[in-house]
Amino acid sequence: MKRSILPQQMLTYRYLLRAHIGPFVFSLGTLMFLFLLQFVMKFIDQLIGKGLSAWIIIELIALSLAWMVVLAVPMAVLVATLMGFGELSSRNEITAMKASGMSIYTMLAPIIVAATVVALVLVWFNNYVLPEANHQAKTLMIDIRKKKPTLNLVPGLFSQDIGGYSILVRKTFEKTNDLEGITLYDYTNPNTNVVITAERGRISFSPDYRKIIMDLEQGEIHELDLQKMSSYRKLQFRTHRIVMNAEGFEFERSSEGTFSRGDRELSAQAMGAIVDSLHKAKKELEDQMQKAIVDDMDHAIKGTVSTNPFLGFGSQQPGGAQVFKARSMAAYVTNELSRIEFIDKQTDQYLVEIYKKYSIPAACIVFVLIGVPLGIMSRRGGFGAAATLSLGFFLVYWAFLIGGEKLADRNIVSPFVGMWSADIVLGLLGIYLTVRIGKETVVINWSFLNHLLPKRWRSGIQDDPEIVAGNP
């Protein structure tokens, strides 16, 4: 008997997996297309018409596909689960499987295993492919800005990417860095309001790429003293040069011709090493501060002057140094606590990214627990119904994820809670719904079932007038 049940069960597993492969591929392709369309719509004005080759644009889009995959795969798992089990339920095949002695947990097993495999692949992708893709995309964007500093300047729109300045240009050129119809507001001096207009101009980087140079032609400078509103002057020029800091264009100077990596450009292992070094630095600061406080208190009890090198009290006389010592100690402790707080904030930011690399893949398993009972209850296998049901859970999950990241970065909640709360809450909800759907009992008529079951399942059912299908 066991020999006949096992092959039949394996065939059922294969049938269930085949029912999900098609919807998964279809939903993944659809979601990737939507993400790609959103990306192109967002950056089309900055990429097209800037003199960039088609290959550069394609390379940038290809590198951006990595983060799209990370977001689209868990969504596709939920849509595929809803479509797969919804279609099986609409054809009463779930009822037939229960009638043959298969529980909902048995049906769930192959899908959970497949989702676990997908999650593990996504974890590997997050740690090895995504960081490199993000780094290459960042490097490519920096190279584009080095070649085309007009990239951030959209004709007809004010650009505030350069700190302290607001720039409006009427026209840019594809092949050069020339500009026409320039209006520039200079906010670098809070006591003076400066407005510069020019008919033509050219923008470029300094040789070390730390400054942005704007050479203007045929224009005027309007300057108003905000403290003395009556003080106003107007200057006309043929040529005028403005030098601005390049931080607004996100250019980062590296020591050996490479660019430093941010937290989203590192693997979990690399960030874990950084977190360990931050913990070590924090411990050293705490020990150093504790030693300084104890040393100062010890000298105060003995009535002598502290010679702690961190406090610098050795030059003060015992009779007139008490107030100075107290204020210096308070300033020293405040400074050290600020450094420790900064280290804690850095640590939380890295921990958030580490947990995110695992919590998002874990959503594949969570969405299976959600999708199976919802698919069975909905009894609809179309993409529209699955997408509608998925939308609410997508919004809840990403609200938890984004909100948790913000709260963790601000040290309101721990990074673990911030990144794993969505998986925990939706996972518990999925377990509850699965248990509820597993306890349901369905009464079916054999004559009706006989027309619905595939041939390979009919041999396992006796010729009873009624079969009660429930949780075995």
Side-chain angles (χ1 to χ4, degrees):
M1 186 66 182
K2 292 183 179 180
R3 294 180 181 177
S4 61
I5 292 177
L6 185 58
Q8 182 179 359
Q9 192 173 21
M10 294 303 297
L11 290 174
T12 305
Y13 286 168
R14 290 174 56 187
Y15 183 77
L16 289 171
L17 290 174
R18 282 202 304 268
H20 286 77
I21 292 175
F24 175 77
V25 174
F26 173 75
S27 56
L28 180 61
T30 302
L31 290 168
M32 289 293 295
F33 173 77
L34 293 176
F35 279 126
L36 184 60
L37 183 63
Q38 180 190 18
F39 176 82
V40 173
M41 293 285 290
K42 182 177 179 180
F43 293 99
I44 187 68
D45 293 336
Q46 299 184 30
L47 299 176
I48 303 299
K50 298 293 184 178
L52 302 175
S53 65
W55 174 250
I56 295 296
I57 298 176
I58 293 173
E59 183 180 358
L60 183 61
I61 293 175
L63 291 172
S64 300
L65 291 176
W67 65 262
M68 300 180 194
V69 170
V70 174
L71 299 180
V73 169
M75 295 182 181
V77 169
L78 177 56
V79 175
T81 306
L82 288 169
M83 290 179 65
F85 273 88
E87 183 69 21
L88 294 173
S89 181
S90 66
R91 298 199 301 259
N92 292 323
E93 294 187 40
I94 299 296
T95 305
M97 293 181 193
K98 288 184 177 182
S100 66
M102 182 177 292
S103 69
I104 188 66
Y105 309 110
T106 306
M107 302 178 206
L108 186 62
I111 312 303
I112 286 289
V113 171
T116 303
V117 173
V118 172
L120 292 176
V121 173
L122 201 57
V123 168
W124 173 84
F125 187 89
N126 282 347
N127 281 288
Y128 295 99
V129 179
L130 180 62
E132 290 299 324
N134 287 341
H135 183 66
Q136 293 297 327
K138 170 187 167 183
T139 303
L140 182 59
M141 287 299 297
I142 292 174
D143 292 339
I144 291 173
R145 289 191 174 103
K146 286 164 58 178
K147 180 181 179 181
K148 296 289 296 181
T150 59
L151 182 66
N152 286 15
L153 300 178
V154 180
L157 296 177
F158 277 98
S159 173
Q160 296 179 338
D161 293 320
I162 304 176
Y165 296 90
S166 182
I167 304 173
L168 173 67
V169 296
R170 299 293 189 272
K171 185 178 181 181
T172 60
F173 296 87
E174 295 183 8
K175 303 299 182 181
T176 65
N177 291 324
D178 294 337
L179 309 170
E180 283 188 3
I182 304 161
T183 302
L184 185 145
Y185 291 85
D186 185 351
Y187 305 118
T188 55
N189 187 354
N191 298 323
T192 306
N193 190 1
V194 179
V195 180
I196 304 174
T197 61
E199 296 181 4
R200 296 178 301 277
R202 181 179 179 85
I203 188 171
S204 60
F205 281 109
S206 62
D208 60 359
Y209 294 100
R210 294 183 181 272
K211 301 291 182 180
I212 293 177
I213 300 173
M214 184 173 287
D215 293 307
L216 305 178
E217 299 178 6
Q218 301 298 327
E220 298 177 347
I221 300 176
H222 302 264
E223 184 175 324
L224 175 64
D225 192 334
L226 298 178
Q227 293 181 340
K228 301 177 182 179
M229 299 300 293
S230 60
S231 178
Y232 169 80
R233 65 174 183 169
K234 174 183 175 182
L235 301 175
Q236 293 183 339
F237 61 84
R238 291 184 178 178
T239 60
H240 181 65
R241 169 170 288 188
I242 302 174
V243 180
M244 300 168 283
N245 291 327
E247 285 83 359
F249 279 65
E250 299 178 358
F251 180 79
E252 298 182 15
R253 187 68 175 173
S254 55
S255 57
E256 298 180 357
T258 59
F259 297 100
S260 59
R261 290 177 177 256
D263 50 8
R264 298 188 177 183
E265 303 164 47
L266 296 171
S267 65
Q269 294 80 3
M271 287 188 288
I274 295 175
V275 169
D276 291 339
S277 64
L278 290 174
H279 284 156
K280 183 178 179 181
K282 177 183 176 181
K283 184 65 168 56
E284 291 177 353
L285 284 177
E286 290 175 343
D287 293 342
Q288 179 178 295
M289 183 173 62
Q290 182 180 6
K291 183 178 182 301
I293 293 174
V294 171
D295 179 69
D296 185 71
M297 292 178 63
D298 183 61
H299 283 82
I301 293 173
K302 294 178 180 179
T304 60
V305 180
S306 172
T307 57
N308 192 297
F310 301 108
L311 302 180
F313 303 146
S315 62
Q316 300 297 319
Q317 296 298 322
Q322 298 302 321
V323 175
F324 176 79
K325 287 173 60 178
R327 290 178 178 175
S328 298
M329 174 58 73
Y332 170 74
V333 172
T334 302
N335 181 65
E336 294 302 291
L337 290 177
S338 298
R339 294 175 63 186
I340 292 174
E341 183 181 359
F342 178 73
I343 291 176
D344 286 337
K345 184 177 293 187
Q346 280 190 312
T347 303
D348 288 344
Q349 289 176 351
Y350 282 110
L351 287 176
V352 163
E353 292 299 323
I354 291 174
Y355 290 136
K356 189 191 297 184
K357 289 184 181 296
Y358 298 98
S359 63
I360 292 180
C364 297
I365 302 173
V366 171
F367 285 158
V368 167
L369 296 175
I370 290 286
V372 170
L374 288 181
I376 293 175
M377 289 187 290
S378 67
R379 301 178 66 86
R380 293 181 180 180
F383 179 77
T388 302
L389 289 172
S390 302
L391 181 60
F393 289 99
F394 291 161
L395 294 177
V396 172
Y397 183 82
W398 296 120
F400 266 93
L401 195 68
I402 296 173
E405 181 176 359
K406 299 298 182 183
L407 293 175
D409 287 340
R410 297 174 183 176
N411 204 24
I412 298 176
V413 299
S414 68
F416 179 85
V417 173
M419 290 295 97
W420 285 99
S421 57
D423 294 282
I424 294 172
V425 172
L426 293 182
L428 292 175
L429 177 61
I431 293 173
Y432 170 76
L433 293 175
T434 303
V435 172
R436 285 293 301 271
I437 202 73
K439 290 182 179 180
E440 290 183 1
T441 300
V442 182
V443 179
I444 56 178
N445 186 277
W446 165 247
S447 60
F448 175 67
L449 179 64
N450 191 43
H451 296 287
L452 295 173
L453 285 175
K455 292 182 180 181
R456 59 175 176 271
W457 290 344
R458 296 178 187 175
S459 59
I461 299 179
Q462 302 297 327
D463 295 332
D464 294 334
E466 268 191 350
I467 296 178
V468 179
N471 186 20

